């Protein structure tokens, strides 16, 4: 799976939008862009994923650059509960040679200030 | 209903002991995983089972032996525990191994070896 680069940490104010960037310049045409997050003392939690088009769900939006070399996870109104480590992960449609494993990087630690 | 559950949540034991961690998922998924999160919060895949068959063993010491009695359960048995085994162990599941599907994680088991 191709590598991703994320800022180590970001800060946001409560009730403001948050844009979490991810660079993946070596992405291949069959790589899905996944986002997971890990709240303190909890297991990782799926957030959203996409291939080429922007995606929205109840948790967040995913904006994918036209060349797919970068993407942005958008939390529309940050709450204190959104403070977590956010991981951007590329997953080949074949699931890493059909193993399905997720390869986690260091992620972005998001702090939300009241 | 908890989708992916693990027992126990905490496990404190002495070096040299043998212990097991259990995982169950009620999502009807056919693929289950064990991940390890070390003290530096780095998350790494250990094992993956698809339809009760082992498909990943990421150079884990053979003191670790996963067992999948059925598609809903994946247990992890650890022999001769060492200090370095102290970590948080997460179980996860997914429907298939394709890169287009999401994984669901359990709450984790914090293992402390003294």
């Amino acid at each position: 799976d191709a590598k991703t680069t994320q800022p180590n940490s970001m800060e946001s104010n409560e009730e403001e939008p948050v844009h979490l960037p991810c660079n993946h310049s070596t992405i291949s045409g069959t790589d899905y862009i996944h986002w997971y997050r890990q709240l303190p003392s909890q297991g990782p939690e799926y957030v959203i994923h996409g291939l080429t088009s922007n995606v929205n769900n109840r948790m967040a939006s995913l904006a994918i650059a036209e060349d797919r070399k970068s993407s942005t996870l958008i939390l529309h109104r940050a709450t204190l509960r959104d403070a977590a480590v956010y991981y951007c992960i590329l997953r080949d449609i074949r699931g890493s040679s059909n193993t399905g494993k997720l390869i986690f990087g260091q992620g972005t630690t998001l702090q939300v200030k009241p | 209903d908890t989708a992916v559950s693990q027992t126990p949540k905490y496990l404190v034991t002495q070096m040299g002991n043998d212990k097991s961690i259990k995982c169950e998922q009620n999502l009807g998924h056919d693929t289950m995983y064990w991940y390890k999160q070390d003290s530096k919060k780095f998350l790494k895949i250990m094992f993956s089972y698809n339809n009760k068959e082992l498909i990943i063993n990421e150079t884990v010491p053979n003191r670790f032996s996963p067992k999948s009695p059925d598609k809903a359960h994946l247990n992890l048995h650890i022999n001769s525990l060492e200090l370095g085994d102290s970590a948080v162990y997460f179980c996860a599941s997914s429907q298939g191994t394709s890169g287009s599907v999401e994984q669901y994680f359990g709450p984790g088991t914090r293992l402390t070896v003294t």
Side-chain angles (χ1 to χ4, degrees):
Chain A
D1 294 287
K3 191 176 158 64
T4 63
T5 305
Q6 299 177 252
N8 284 336
S9 62
M10 290 185 65
E11 279 187 2
S12 171
N13 293 319
E14 198 177 9
E15 298 189 9
E16 289 185 357
V18 182
H19 290 231
L20 296 161
C22 181
N23 286 322
H24 27 79
S25 58
T26 59
I27 191 170
S28 77
T30 53
D31 282 335
Y32 279 83
I33 303 160
H34 283 247
W35 284 82
Y36 284 76
R37 71 179 185 179
Q38 188 174 20
L39 302 171
S41 301
Q42 294 191 29
E45 174 186 32
Y46 166 78
V47 178
I48 200 167
H49 76 281
L51 186 61
T52 55
S53 305
N54 294 345
V55 185
N56 300 299
N57 65 21
R58 63 174 179 79
M59 288 181 71
S61 295
L62 176 59
I64 301 173
E66 201 168 327
D67 64 5
R68 302 210 323 127
K69 294 187 177 183
S70 65
S71 61
T72 303
L73 179 70
I74 302 166
L75 307 178
H76 294 286
R77 268 179 94 236
T79 68
L80 296 178
R81 196 194 170 275
D82 291 321
V85 180
Y86 287 79
Y87 298 96
C88 169
I89 301 170
L90 299 184
R91 302 195 64 216
D92 187 275
I93 192 165
R94 293 159 298 183
S96 295
S97 304
N98 293 322
T99 63
K101 66 182 179 183
L102 290 172
I103 301 174
F104 288 87
Q106 95 285 348
T108 297
T109 299
L110 175 65
Q111 286 186 305
V112 180
K113 297 185 285 187
Chain B
D1 274 350
T2 304
V4 182
S5 58
Q6 297 178 227
T7 53
K9 189 167 172 64
Y10 300 96
L11 186 53
V12 181
T13 188
Q14 291 184 327
M15 283 175 56
N17 285 347
D18 303 338
K19 289 293 177 187
S20 291
I21 306 172
K22 296 188 176 185
C23 177
E24 177 181 2
Q25 54 93 6
N26 63 7
L27 297 166
H29 289 165
D30 59 4
T31 307
M32 295 185 73
Y33 312 83
W34 279 109
Y35 289 84
K36 178 181 179 180
Q37 187 165 42
D38 61 24
S39 56
K40 294 183 179 165
K41 305 290 186 184
F42 181 57
L43 263 163
K44 189 172 180 200
I45 185 75
M46 297 175 71
F47 299 104
S48 170
Y49 267 75
N50 179 256
N51 282 314
K52 299 181 0 181
E53 288 196 20
L54 179 68
I55 55 173
I56 303 175
N57 178 342
E58 289 279 319
T59 60
V60 177
N62 57 16
R63 297 183 295 104
F64 290 78
S65 52
K67 283 190 173 51
S68 182
D70 55 58
K71 287 199 299 185
H73 295 85
L74 181 63
N75 303 324
L76 183 64
H77 188 76
I78 316 170
N79 289 327
S80 304
L81 278 154
E82 300 177 357
L83 292 176
D85 298 331
S86 296
V88 183
Y89 293 84
F90 291 102
C91 177
S93 74
S94 64
Q95 183 52 41
T97 57
S98 166
S100 63
V101 302
E102 58 266 32
Q103 288 185 19
Y104 294 85
F105 284 78
T109 295
R110 182 175 293 277
L111 171 65
T112 304
V113 182
T114 61

